[in-house]
Amino acid sequence: MKTITTLFFALGLLLSSLLAMSQSKADKIYDAFDNKDGVTSFTFTKDMTDAFNIDLGDDGEEKKVSGDLQKIRFLSYNPEKGDMSGEAFLKKAVSMLPSQYKKYEDEEDDSNAEIWLLGKGKKYKECHVFLHNDNSSGNSFLVSFYGDFTVNDLEGLKATGKGFSK
Protein backbone atom coordinates (compact mmCIF):
# COMPACT_ATOMS: atom_id res chain seq x y z
CA MET A 1 0.00 0.00 0.00
CA LYS A 2 2.87 2.34 0.84
CA THR A 3 4.39 1.74 -2.63
CA ILE A 4 1.11 2.68 -4.36
CA THR A 5 0.81 5.87 -2.29
CA THR A 6 4.40 6.79 -3.14
CA LEU A 7 3.73 6.07 -6.82
CA PHE A 8 0.62 8.30 -6.85
CA PHE A 9 2.52 11.05 -5.03
CA ALA A 10 5.37 10.91 -7.58
CA LEU A 11 2.91 10.87 -10.47
CA GLY A 12 1.11 13.88 -8.99
CA LEU A 13 4.38 15.80 -8.68
CA LEU A 14 5.31 14.96 -12.26
CA LEU A 15 1.92 16.05 -13.63
CA SER A 16 1.87 19.27 -11.66
CA SER A 17 5.39 20.15 -12.83
CA LEU A 18 4.42 19.44 -16.46
CA LEU A 19 1.34 21.64 -16.11
CA ALA A 20 3.41 24.41 -14.58
CA MET A 21 5.92 24.21 -17.43
CA SER A 22 3.19 24.55 -20.07
CA GLN A 23 2.04 27.81 -18.55
CA SER A 24 3.58 31.04 -19.77
CA LYS A 25 5.94 32.78 -17.38
CA ALA A 26 3.87 35.92 -18.00
CA ASP A 27 0.75 34.16 -16.68
CA LYS A 28 2.02 34.88 -13.18
CA ILE A 29 0.92 38.49 -13.76
CA TYR A 30 -2.67 37.33 -14.27
CA ASP A 31 -2.41 34.87 -11.38
CA ALA A 32 -1.03 37.53 -9.03
CA PHE A 33 -3.92 39.91 -9.69
CA ASP A 34 -6.67 37.29 -9.91
CA ASN A 35 -9.57 38.06 -7.54
CA LYS A 36 -8.00 41.33 -6.35
CA ASP A 37 -10.11 44.44 -5.79
CA GLY A 38 -10.35 46.58 -8.91
CA VAL A 39 -9.31 43.79 -11.31
CA THR A 40 -11.39 42.39 -14.15
CA SER A 41 -9.96 39.75 -16.48
CA PHE A 42 -11.03 37.31 -19.14
CA THR A 43 -9.47 34.93 -21.65
CA PHE A 44 -10.29 34.02 -25.24
CA THR A 45 -9.16 30.44 -25.77
CA LYS A 46 -8.09 28.87 -29.07
CA ASP A 47 -11.65 27.83 -29.90
CA MET A 48 -12.78 31.41 -29.47
CA THR A 49 -9.85 32.98 -31.36
CA ASP A 50 -10.51 30.67 -34.32
CA ALA A 51 -13.88 32.39 -34.67
CA PHE A 52 -12.31 35.68 -35.77
CA ASN A 53 -9.33 37.03 -37.67
CA ILE A 54 -7.27 39.97 -36.51
CA ASP A 55 -6.70 42.45 -39.30
CA LEU A 56 -4.36 45.33 -38.58
CA GLY A 57 -4.69 48.62 -40.40
CA ASP A 58 -7.35 49.94 -42.74
CA ASP A 59 -7.93 51.57 -46.14
CA GLY A 60 -6.34 48.76 -48.14
CA GLU A 61 -3.25 48.70 -45.91
CA GLU A 62 -4.44 45.75 -43.81
CA LYS A 63 -1.91 43.34 -42.42
CA LYS A 64 -2.80 40.14 -40.67
CA VAL A 65 -1.58 38.41 -37.58
CA SER A 66 -0.83 35.04 -39.09
CA GLY A 67 0.04 31.73 -37.57
CA ASP A 68 -1.41 29.88 -34.65
CA LEU A 69 -2.97 32.29 -32.16
CA GLN A 70 -3.68 30.14 -29.09
CA LYS A 71 -5.06 32.56 -26.53
CA ILE A 72 -5.80 36.20 -25.82
CA ARG A 73 -5.91 37.42 -22.21
CA PHE A 74 -7.24 40.74 -20.98
CA LEU A 75 -6.82 42.39 -17.59
CA SER A 76 -8.28 45.72 -16.50
CA TYR A 77 -7.29 47.50 -13.30
CA ASN A 78 -9.50 50.17 -11.73
CA PRO A 79 -7.46 52.20 -9.20
CA GLU A 80 -10.64 53.57 -7.60
CA LYS A 81 -11.54 50.04 -6.47
CA GLY A 82 -8.01 48.71 -5.89
CA ASP A 83 -5.27 49.58 -3.44
CA MET A 84 -2.69 51.13 -5.82
CA SER A 85 -2.57 53.68 -8.63
CA GLY A 86 -2.90 52.62 -12.25
CA GLU A 87 0.76 53.47 -12.86
CA ALA A 88 1.84 51.44 -9.82
CA PHE A 89 -0.23 48.50 -11.09
CA LEU A 90 1.42 48.63 -14.55
CA LYS A 91 4.89 49.06 -13.08
CA LYS A 92 4.37 46.02 -10.86
CA ALA A 93 2.89 43.97 -13.74
CA VAL A 94 5.79 44.80 -16.09
CA SER A 95 8.31 43.99 -13.35
CA MET A 96 6.87 40.46 -13.14
CA LEU A 97 8.00 39.66 -16.71
CA PRO A 98 11.19 37.57 -16.76
CA SER A 99 14.29 38.97 -18.47
CA GLN A 100 13.76 37.05 -21.73
CA TYR A 101 10.81 39.34 -22.56
CA LYS A 102 11.98 42.35 -24.54
CA LYS A 103 10.36 45.74 -24.76
CA TYR A 104 9.49 46.81 -28.29
CA GLU A 105 11.06 50.20 -28.90
CA ASP A 106 8.90 52.24 -31.22
CA GLU A 107 10.21 55.06 -33.37
CA GLU A 108 7.26 57.15 -32.20
CA ASP A 109 7.24 57.45 -28.44
CA ASP A 110 3.72 56.47 -27.36
CA SER A 111 3.68 56.97 -23.61
CA ASN A 112 0.23 55.35 -23.37
CA ALA A 113 1.29 51.88 -24.48
CA GLU A 114 4.22 49.52 -24.06
CA ILE A 115 4.70 46.29 -25.97
CA TRP A 116 6.71 43.41 -24.48
CA LEU A 117 7.54 40.42 -26.66
CA LEU A 118 8.80 36.88 -26.32
CA GLY A 119 10.41 35.74 -29.56
CA LYS A 120 12.78 37.04 -32.21
CA GLY A 121 12.48 39.09 -35.38
CA LYS A 122 8.87 39.00 -36.49
CA LYS A 123 8.15 35.57 -35.01
CA TYR A 124 6.66 35.64 -31.53
CA LYS A 125 5.22 33.34 -28.92
CA GLU A 126 3.81 36.14 -26.79
CA CYS A 127 2.96 39.80 -27.11
CA HIS A 128 1.86 41.84 -24.08
CA VAL A 129 0.41 45.32 -24.55
CA PHE A 130 0.39 47.44 -21.37
CA LEU A 131 -1.94 50.44 -21.70
CA HIS A 132 -1.47 53.47 -19.47
CA ASN A 133 -4.23 55.96 -18.77
CA ASP A 134 -3.55 59.72 -18.80
CA ASN A 135 -6.18 60.08 -16.08
CA SER A 136 -4.63 58.88 -12.81
CA SER A 137 -7.99 57.56 -11.59
CA GLY A 138 -8.76 55.85 -14.93
CA ASN A 139 -8.36 52.16 -15.67
CA SER A 140 -5.09 50.61 -16.85
CA PHE A 141 -5.04 47.55 -19.08
CA LEU A 142 -2.97 44.54 -20.11
CA VAL A 143 -3.81 42.63 -23.31
CA SER A 144 -1.74 39.50 -24.02
CA PHE A 145 -1.54 37.49 -27.24
CA TYR A 146 -0.16 33.92 -27.08
CA GLY A 147 0.73 31.47 -29.86
CA ASP A 148 3.20 30.95 -32.67
CA PHE A 149 2.59 33.89 -34.95
CA THR A 150 4.21 36.52 -37.07
CA VAL A 151 3.17 40.13 -37.06
CA ASN A 152 3.86 42.40 -39.98
CA ASP A 153 2.77 45.48 -38.08
CA LEU A 154 3.35 45.74 -34.33
CA GLU A 155 1.76 49.19 -34.29
CA GLY A 156 -1.43 47.58 -35.53
CA LEU A 157 -1.25 44.97 -32.78
CA LYS A 158 -0.85 47.77 -30.26
CA ALA A 159 -3.94 49.44 -31.74
CA THR A 160 -5.82 46.13 -31.46
CA GLY A 161 -4.85 45.97 -27.77
CA LYS A 162 -6.10 49.52 -27.31
CA GLY A 163 -9.35 48.53 -29.00
CA PHE A 164 -9.92 45.86 -26.32
CA SER A 165 -9.64 48.53 -23.64
CA LYS A 166 -12.40 50.76 -24.99
Side-chain angles (χ1 to χ4, degrees):
M1 183 71 170
K2 187 174 182 179
T3 305
I4 292 174
T5 304
T6 305
L7 179 64
F8 280 120
F9 179 73
L11 185 59
L13 282 176
L14 177 65
L15 287 175
S16 64
S17 66
L18 288 173
L19 288 173
M21 288 187 331
S22 69
Q23 196 176 33
S24 163
K25 294 187 184 315
D27 281 343
K28 71 180 181 179
I29 297 170
Y30 289 90
D31 295 342
F33 290 104
D34 191 33
N35 294 319
K36 300 286 188 216
D37 289 340
V39 173
T40 302
S41 67
F42 59 86
T43 301
F44 292 111
T45 61
K46 174 145 179 62
D47 291 338
M48 294 176 78
T49 60
D50 285 345
F52 61 91
N53 290 321
I54 298 177
D55 293 325
L56 308 174
D58 50 21
D59 299 328
E61 297 293 319
E62 292 88 358
K63 297 185 182 194
K64 295 189 182 294
V65 175
S66 60
D68 193 15
L69 187 60
Q70 295 291 322
K71 176 171 57 172
I72 300 172
R73 294 192 80 177
F74 173 86
L75 192 143
S76 170
Y77 178 73
N78 183 341
E80 292 182 348
K81 294 181 179 178
D83 59 358
M84 65 179 93
S85 71
E87 277 302 310
F89 159 76
L90 288 173
K91 186 175 182 178
K92 182 174 181 178
V94 167
S95 75
M96 297 173 90
L97 288 173
S99 62
Q100 64 259 43
Y101 291 78
K102 302 298 178 202
K103 184 176 179 182
Y104 171 69
E105 298 296 335
D106 188 5
E107 294 166 9
E108 292 181 26
D109 182 39
D110 182 353
S111 60
N112 289 343
E114 290 181 29
I115 296 177
W116 288 80
L117 302 164
L118 180 62
K120 292 183 180 181
K122 291 190 182 275
K123 211 157 173 50
Y124 303 103
K125 292 181 179 187
E126 298 179 22
C127 176
H128 304 278
V129 182
F130 295 85
L131 300 164
H132 303 256
N133 196 316
D134 290 333
N135 177 353
S136 62
S137 63
N139 287 13
S140 295
F141 303 93
L142 169 58
V143 183
S144 301
F145 302 89
Y146 299 84
D148 289 317
F149 52 89
T150 60
V151 180
N152 296 324
D153 182 0
L154 285 175
E155 288 305 307
L157 190 56
K158 182 166 48 173
T160 301
K162 285 183 177 182
F164 272 103
S165 66
K166 291 182 180 177

